[in-house]
């Protein structure tokens, strides 16, 4: 605009130049001529063409308007009504018209501020600009995360949404390790994915080795004592990112979005699939994938991602090609040492003739013959209660696994689970019935009225049933009254009347006064004498 203004002042501005400027700016030709006229009157208008020039008394957004925008979630009409009501009460000046208020908000607030006042910080973050980190070398930085697959999978007859835990390399976008859990993930899921990520042997390679740093997002599984100890033993730095900052680990967050749109959306049982008609529930005759088949398909897609997919940041290369073209040396760990490092340490135990006692259960193994009496160290995989790994306490030598003695059969375990589920359903139903309260609908301002009538007999029966289960009400404190207090105590008459006159409290050591029994009028203590045989007179 300043260039056009200078040409106009020099007399060299032509209609062709104005039309070209209008085409570039996406406005009409007469708008450019109007902006030039405003710029000649006010030099500041040349810096912001198209904006109205500031004038004394122009309405601007104040802190009060910002607070009302946050209160009414960005509803400008509601803010205008609130300002009008306050002006009517004499609490401020009358507001401008709604179009003027809209124009001031658009002028004085950025799109991110308007979105944040209406929808919070997450909505405002969509208007921010994020810088891209420089692409490092392979195994410089890994990122890890849990993601729940929006796909229903058949897990032992029940439809569940499995969880995926994976590690990805920030330099090559390669998925180095993955683990799938039918239920909620735990530190065991992290350790399993970490082993598959570090090992470069089949079927995990060629990606792997030890990274220099791993980024996590304050998940309690990633920051558990077992996982952090494993990272420390492997000499891997853990970078704990602030909460609710997914943009700080964009590589794995992008993978979480990509796996849904590129793979999970085409699977049967996809939970976010648009359904015909008004009902959004999935069809009853829909056949779901089994957990084993789902895991096999996910691993096949992971292989495709690493070997055939060409992400845009890699400029035409696959993650495998980017990995092989990087000459950075790798740090490998033997599989046996990695297995040891990723187990939880349970301390030392003594090997007895009944095996090893761990969590109030006995574990035995064939290698224990003739070894009773030695000190061993127990390591175990979290939540894997059927087996532990045993090492010599002094030398650290691996002795062998130990399995749970007298382990229940699959039929017994299934029966116990069914009984537990039935008990949980019955208890939940009883609790819901006891806590369900209904209230009458109100058409005017009045106190809430509970619904549900009881007869006197029903109330007495319910109270008797509850009183019979209360141990505190079954106690009889008046069967054995408390003994009389010492004579030098000031006992209130109401409490002295409840004590036993025939029994007296023992004289505390160091007291010279004789005990008193409350046998006087109005419960007052009357001193008593004690003869040589210890009887009161």
């Amino acid at each position: 605009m300043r260039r056009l203004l200078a040409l106009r002042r020099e007399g060299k501005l032509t209609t062709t130049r104005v039309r070209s400027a209008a085409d570039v700016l996406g406005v009409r030709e007469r708008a450019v001529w109007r902006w030039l006229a405003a710029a000649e009157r006010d030099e500041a208008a040349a810096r912001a063409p198209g904006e109205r020039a500031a004038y004394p008394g122009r309405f601007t957004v104040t802190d009060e308007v910002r607070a009302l925008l946050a209160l009414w979630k960005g509803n400008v009409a509601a803010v205008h009504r609130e300002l009008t009501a306050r002006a009517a009460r004499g609490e401020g000046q009358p507001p401008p018209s709604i179009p003027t208020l809209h124009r001031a908000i658009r002028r004085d607030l950025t799109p991110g501020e308007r979105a944040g006042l209406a929808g919070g910080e997450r909505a405002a973050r969509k208007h921010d600009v994020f810088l891209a980190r420089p692409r490092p070398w392979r195994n410089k930085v890994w990122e890890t995360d849990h993601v729940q697959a929006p796909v229903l999978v058949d897990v032992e007859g029940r439809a569940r949404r499995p969880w995926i835990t994976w590690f990805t390399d920030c330099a090559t976008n390669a998925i180095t390790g993955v683990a799938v859990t039918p239920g909620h993930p735990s530190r065991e899921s992290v350790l399993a994915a970490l082993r598959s990520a570090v090992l470069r042997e089949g079927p995990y390679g060629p990606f792997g080795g030890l990274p220099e740093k791993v980024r996590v997002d304050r998940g309690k599984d990633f920051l558990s004592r077992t996982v952090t100890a494993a990272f420390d033993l492997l000499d891997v730095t853990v970078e704990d990112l602030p909460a609710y900052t997914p943009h700080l680990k964009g590589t794995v967050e992008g993978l979480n979005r990509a796996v849904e749109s590129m793979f999970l959306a085409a699977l049967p049982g996809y939970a976010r699939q648009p359904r015909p008609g008004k009902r959004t529930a999935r069809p009853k005759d829909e056949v779901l994938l089994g957990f084993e088949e789902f895991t096999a398909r996910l691993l096949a897609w992971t292989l495709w991602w690493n070997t055939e997919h060409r992400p845009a940041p890699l400029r035409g290369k696959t993650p495998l090609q980017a990995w092989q073209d990087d000459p950075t040396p790798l740090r490998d760990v033997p599989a046996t040492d990695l297995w040891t490092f990723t187990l939880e340490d349970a301390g030392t135990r003594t090997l007895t003739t009944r095996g090893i006692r761990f969590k109030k259960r006995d574990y035995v193994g064939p290698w224990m013959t003739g070894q009773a009496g030695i000190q061993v160290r127990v390591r175990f995989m979290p939540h894997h209660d059927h087996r532990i790994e045993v090492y010599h306490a002094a030398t650290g030598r691996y002795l062998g696994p130990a399995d749970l003695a007298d382990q229940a059969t699959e039929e017994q375990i299934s029966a116990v689970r069914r009984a537990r589920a039935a008990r949980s359903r019955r208890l939940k139903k009883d609790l819901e019935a006891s806590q369900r309260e209904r209230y009458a609908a109100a058409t005017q301002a009045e106190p809430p009225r509970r619904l549900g009538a009881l007869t006197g007999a029903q109330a007495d029966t319910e109270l008797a049933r509850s009183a019979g289960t209360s141990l505190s009400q079954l106690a009889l404190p008046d069967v054995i009254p408390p003994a009389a207090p010492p004579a030098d105590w000031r006992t209130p008459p109401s409490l002295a009347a409840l004590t036993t006159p025939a029994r007296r409290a023992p004289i505390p050591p160091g007291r010279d006064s004789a005990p008193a029994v409350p046998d006087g009028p109005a419960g007052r203590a009357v001193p008593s004498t004690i003869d040589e045989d210890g009887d009161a007179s």
Side-chain angles (χ1 to χ4, degrees), residues 152-161 282 288-289 421 425:
L152 294 176
V153 176
D154 185 5
V155 180
E156 296 182 348
R158 297 183 59 184
R160 293 180 177 270
R161 292 175 56 183
R282 65 185 184 89
L288 302 179
L289 293 176
R425 290 193 299 267

Side-chain angles (χ1 to χ4, degrees), residues 452-466:
L454 285 177
T455 63
Q458 290 176 335
D460 293 340
T461 303
E462 188 73 20
L463 291 175
R465 186 183 301 113
S466 62

Side-chain angles (χ1 to χ4, degrees), residues 127-164:
H127 298 270
D128 293 342
V129 177
F130 303 103
L131 299 177
R133 292 190 179 96
R135 189 163 292 273
W137 53 91
R138 64 180 181 180
N139 283 357
K140 169 63 177 178
V141 180
W142 285 3
E143 292 178 356
T144 180
D145 196 13
H146 295 308
V147 59
Q148 188 177 22
V151 177
L152 294 176
V153 176
D154 185 5
V155 180
E156 296 182 348
R158 297 183 59 184
R160 293 180 177 270
R161 292 175 56 183
W163 286 79
I164 305 173

Side-chain angles (χ1 to χ4, degrees), residues 279-397:
R279 301 189 63 180
T280 58
R282 65 185 184 89
K284 295 183 179 180
D285 57 348
E286 184 178 17
V287 179
L288 302 179
L289 293 176
F291 177 73
E292 183 177 359
E293 185 177 359
F294 171 79
T295 305
R297 292 194 182 189
L298 178 64
L299 295 179
W301 180 84
T302 302
L303 179 62
W304 171 85
W305 173 279
N306 287 337
T307 58
E308 299 183 25
H309 179 56
R310 301 177 186 273
L314 299 183
R315 300 179 180 180
K317 293 184 179 181
T318 64
L320 178 60
Q321 292 174 347
W323 181 275
Q324 293 175 343
D325 293 344
D326 194 332
T328 305
L330 303 176
R331 294 189 301 159
D332 290 325
V333 178
T336 55
D337 295 344
L338 181 63
W339 173 255
T340 303
F341 294 156
T342 54
L343 292 176
E344 190 166 340
D345 190 0
T348 59
R349 299 288 193 280
T350 301
L351 179 60
T352 64
T353 56
R354 299 185 58 179
I356 298 175
R357 191 70 174 175
F358 176 63
K359 291 186 178 181
K360 300 181 180 180
R361 294 183 291 186
D362 294 326
Y363 289 80
V364 296
W367 56 270
M368 295 182 180
T369 304
Q371 301 282 349
I374 64 174
Q375 293 290 323
V376 296
R377 179 171 292 275
V378 176
R379 293 181 177 269
F380 67 99
M381 175 62 67
H383 311 297
H384 288 238
D385 299 333
H386 62 283
R387 170 172 290 190
I388 60 175
E389 305 294 335
V390 186
Y391 298 79
H392 198 279
T395 62
R397 180 172 56 89

Side-chain angles (χ1 to χ4, degrees), residues 18-19 38 76 86 173 180 190 193 198 207 215 341 378 397 425:
V18 175
R19 290 176 182 175
V76 181
R86 292 185 179 183
N173 285 54
V180 188
V190 180
V198 173
F207 309 97
R215 294 194 186 106
F341 294 156
V378 176
R397 180 172 56 89
R425 290 193 299 267

Side-chain angles (χ1 to χ4, degrees), residues 436-456:
R436 187 182 300 117
E437 294 181 354
R438 296 186 181 274
Y439 292 86
T443 57
Q444 58 184 358
E446 59 181 4
R449 293 184 293 111
R450 291 186 181 181
L451 298 179
L454 285 177
T455 63

Side-chain angles (χ1 to χ4, degrees), residues 486-527:
D488 57 344
W489 285 16
R490 290 187 177 182
T491 306
S494 58
L495 297 180
L498 300 177
T499 58
T500 305
R503 298 177 64 241
R504 62 181 183 276
I507 302 177
R511 294 184 183 268
D512 299 332
S513 59
V517 292
D519 55 357
R524 291 189 297 271
V526 178

